[in-house]
Amino acid sequence: MTLDKNHYIGAVLAGGYKIERFVGSGAFAYVYFAKAPTGQGCAVKIQYNLAQDARIRFSREVKVLREIPPNDYLVRYFSDGETPEGYPYLIMEFVDGMTLKEALKRRRVWPVQESCDLILQLCDAFGGLHQLGVVHRDVKPDNIMLTRNHQVKLMDLGLIKDAQGLFKLLESEDIMRGRDFAENLDKGVLAGTPEYMAPEQFSDPSLNDESLAKTDTWTDVYSLGLIFYEMVAGRKLFVFNPPANASQNEFAKALLAFLTMRTQQRDEEILPPPNVPYQLWTVIARALHADPTRRQHNAQEFADDIRRYLTSGEGVVEQDSDKTSAIDLANFAELMRAKETAQVGAATSSDQQLFATNRQSLAAAPAAMPIPGNVGVSGLPSMPGSPGYVDPGEDDGDGNGFLWGFLIVLLLIIVGVLVFYLFFLPK
């Protein structure tokens, strides 16, 4: 039967939770405000779509919320069960506030410090999920609540993925009941919201072998990077605008064009917003790499990079595909001189480049600096005026000075011998 959204208003669920009013609906479930026996407000999510895959996804969400450690930035699990008519429900913390989407409508461009603070809270919200190898896959402003005390609450785990197989293992060993994580529900399914999805979310559904899928905790990092960009830039990085009142065929064509654009997007084409300090941009840009192995591997690494920037002003410097180091930019010139003197260049492999930017030179440079096409967005080149910078049209005097001096002296000796031979030697 089709479930009327008002059917359960006034109903009392197991445990004494009384449903008081309808709040909203999603693709698979209705959400209500209810009161616990203690008088505490809570949210009740009742699934109205009983298709097999929808039921499995709902059960996955319940299991993950029930098992992960308590987290101040993730909606808290209270209880779950099934109505007498057979509709599964989940009882969670009710968040009094607004979505980040609503907040972004009220203020388009956010100050850098406030943006960092909010993204740090979001990163902390992923702590338990990413520790268990679980990917949210639908990180977007709609699924992020801001309380009246300006605290983040991450919601809606309906599209979670057991990327590293822990829950599947627990089920197979009968440590956890059911087999909800055993089946691959993602083949041929585009799971997520296109404007906030990572590139691997577009390609993974076409894979025959799920073990080759790249969707993992770094996928959520990409989405966090997009939200970070939107907050500081005042606009989405990628905008999907299907025609108004489009038919299903027209919508499909528009979506295909958008996905084609996204999969062809090059890292170096993403330019920093003009109000973002260069060192912070290296942190955001690393999260927005098309290649997931070049991003922060999870939300904790992303938070570490942001906190390092806030405490020391340092950005990130990529060394290879799976390691990232930070370097004190103020001491970069001294380090480079020490490296040349000690001849320890072999310590860094030839294909690893260290880039740095001087804070003073950036202050005088244009705020929005285009990134050359031959490097990735996080592999940012030295800028004119920065320590170690060599203009391609000039000679590197420090590296070649001795050689040039030797050649000049040799040339003078040769000229002197010729002059003596021609003018002073007896004929």
Side-chain angles (χ1 to χ4, degrees):
M1 73 173 188
T2 302
L3 180 64
D4 178 12
K5 68 180 182 180
N6 297 315
H7 178 77
Y8 287 109
I9 295 179
V12 179
L13 303 176
Y17 295 91
K18 184 177 180 180
I19 297 177
E20 293 191 351
R21 69 176 187 270
F22 175 78
V23 175
S25 62
F28 304 105
Y30 295 133
V31 179
Y32 303 87
F33 175 81
K35 285 283 185 70
T38 60
Q40 179 183 10
C42 54
V44 177
K45 186 175 181 179
I46 300 180
Q47 184 184 12
Y48 63 80
N49 185 331
L50 297 183
Q52 180 66 12
D53 61 337
R55 290 193 70 124
I56 292 175
R57 292 192 188 280
F58 192 87
S59 182
R60 288 178 176 180
E61 179 178 15
V62 170
K63 282 185 176 179
V64 170
L65 280 175
R66 194 165 53 203
E67 296 299 328
I68 63 174
N71 187 317
D72 290 339
Y73 305 104
L74 180 68
V75 289
R76 293 197 310 273
Y77 163 89
F78 290 158
S79 182
D80 67 272
E82 199 170 273
T83 68
E85 295 81 13
Y87 292 98
Y89 65 79
L90 170 63
I91 303 176
M92 304 168 289
E93 170 187 13
F94 180 80
V95 183
D96 184 18
M98 70 174 70
T99 66
L100 179 57
K101 181 178 181 179
E102 294 170 322
L104 286 168
K105 288 180 179 178
R106 297 188 181 192
R107 182 171 60 173
R108 291 183 59 193
V109 181
W110 290 45
V112 167
Q113 180 66 49
E114 288 188 39
S115 301
C116 288
D117 292 343
L118 187 140
I119 296 297
L120 282 174
Q121 288 189 52
L122 266 177
C123 288
D124 289 342
F126 283 92
L129 291 173
H130 285 183
Q131 285 174 7
L132 297 175
V134 174
V135 190
H136 188 287
R137 290 202 300 177
D138 200 18
V139 185
K140 59 182 178 180
D142 262 341
N143 288 336
I144 299 164
M145 289 291 295
L146 301 179
T147 71
R148 296 183 184 274
N149 296 325
H150 309 287
Q151 182 173 329
V152 162
K153 291 286 183 177
L154 179 64
M155 310 184 301
D156 199 348
L157 275 63
L159 290 181
I160 54 169
K161 179 181 176 66
D162 180 30
Q164 297 172 21
L166 177 60
F167 283 86
K168 182 178 180 179
L169 175 64
L170 293 174
E171 289 180 342
S172 67
E173 297 294 329
D174 293 326
I175 298 173
M176 188 178 289
R177 288 191 304 169
R179 294 291 184 270
D180 298 306
F181 291 95
E183 187 177 351
N184 179 15
L185 301 180
D186 298 325
K187 185 171 175 55
V189 175
L190 197 66
T193 303
E195 291 176 318
Y196 296 96
M197 289 166 65
E200 60 269 19
Q201 289 179 271
F202 302 133
S203 56
D204 281 357
S206 63
L207 297 173
N208 292 319
D209 184 355
E210 189 184 13
S211 67
L212 300 177
K214 293 183 178 180
T215 298
D216 209 318
T217 53
W218 49 38
T219 300
D220 288 339
V221 169
Y222 191 95
S223 301
L224 288 171
L226 290 176
I227 293 172
F228 206 158
Y229 181 95
E230 184 173 350
M231 293 180 70
V232 294
R235 60 181 178 85
K236 296 176 183 177
L237 182 56
F238 305 114
V239 180
F240 175 50
N241 279 326
N245 303 316
S247 65
Q248 186 173 359
N249 187 47
E250 290 172 332
F251 181 87
K253 287 182 178 179
L255 180 59
L256 180 60
F258 178 78
L259 298 185
T260 301
M261 179 273 292
R262 287 293 314 278
T263 54
Q264 294 176 350
Q265 180 75 40
R266 292 167 56 89
D267 288 341
E268 59 268 22
E269 294 171 350
I270 302 177
L271 304 181
N275 58 319
V276 176
Y278 177 80
Q279 290 83 356
L280 177 60
W281 176 245
T282 66
V283 175
I284 301 173
R286 184 186 172 203
L288 294 176
H289 269 306
D291 178 359
T293 65
R294 298 182 66 188
R295 300 176 206 147
Q296 295 89 347
H297 286 194
N298 51 52
Q300 182 59 57
E301 284 191 17
F302 194 22
D304 289 344
D305 284 347
I306 297 171
R307 289 190 174 100
R308 185 187 303 112
Y309 164 75
L310 290 175
T311 57
S312 67
E314 297 172 3
V316 295
V317 181
E318 291 193 65
Q319 290 185 305
D320 54 41
S321 62
D322 64 355
K323 293 182 180 178
T324 297
S325 64
I327 190 165
D328 188 342
L329 299 178
N331 297 327
F332 186 82
E334 182 178 342
L335 290 174
M336 288 299 292
R337 283 194 295 269
K339 177 182 176 182
E340 292 174 2
T341 302
Q343 295 294 306
V344 293
T348 303
S349 63
S350 59
D351 61 342
Q352 296 172 349
Q353 293 180 315
L354 296 178
F355 301 108
T357 301
N358 184 289
R359 294 184 180 88
Q360 286 73 25
S361 67
L362 267 178
M369 290 174 290
I371 300 168
N374 61 341
V375 292
V377 285
S378 287
L380 293 165
S382 300
M383 301 294 177
S386 66
Y389 176 83
V390 178
D391 191 303
E394 296 176 357
D395 293 327
D396 181 2
D398 290 338
N400 298 320
F402 176 79
L403 178 60
W404 279 111
F406 175 77
L407 291 175
I408 291 171
V409 171
L410 182 62
L411 181 61
L412 290 174
I413 292 173
I414 293 173
V415 170
V417 170
L418 289 175
V419 170
F420 179 80
Y421 177 80
L422 293 174
F423 298 99
F424 298 100
L425 207 67
K427 301 296 183 184

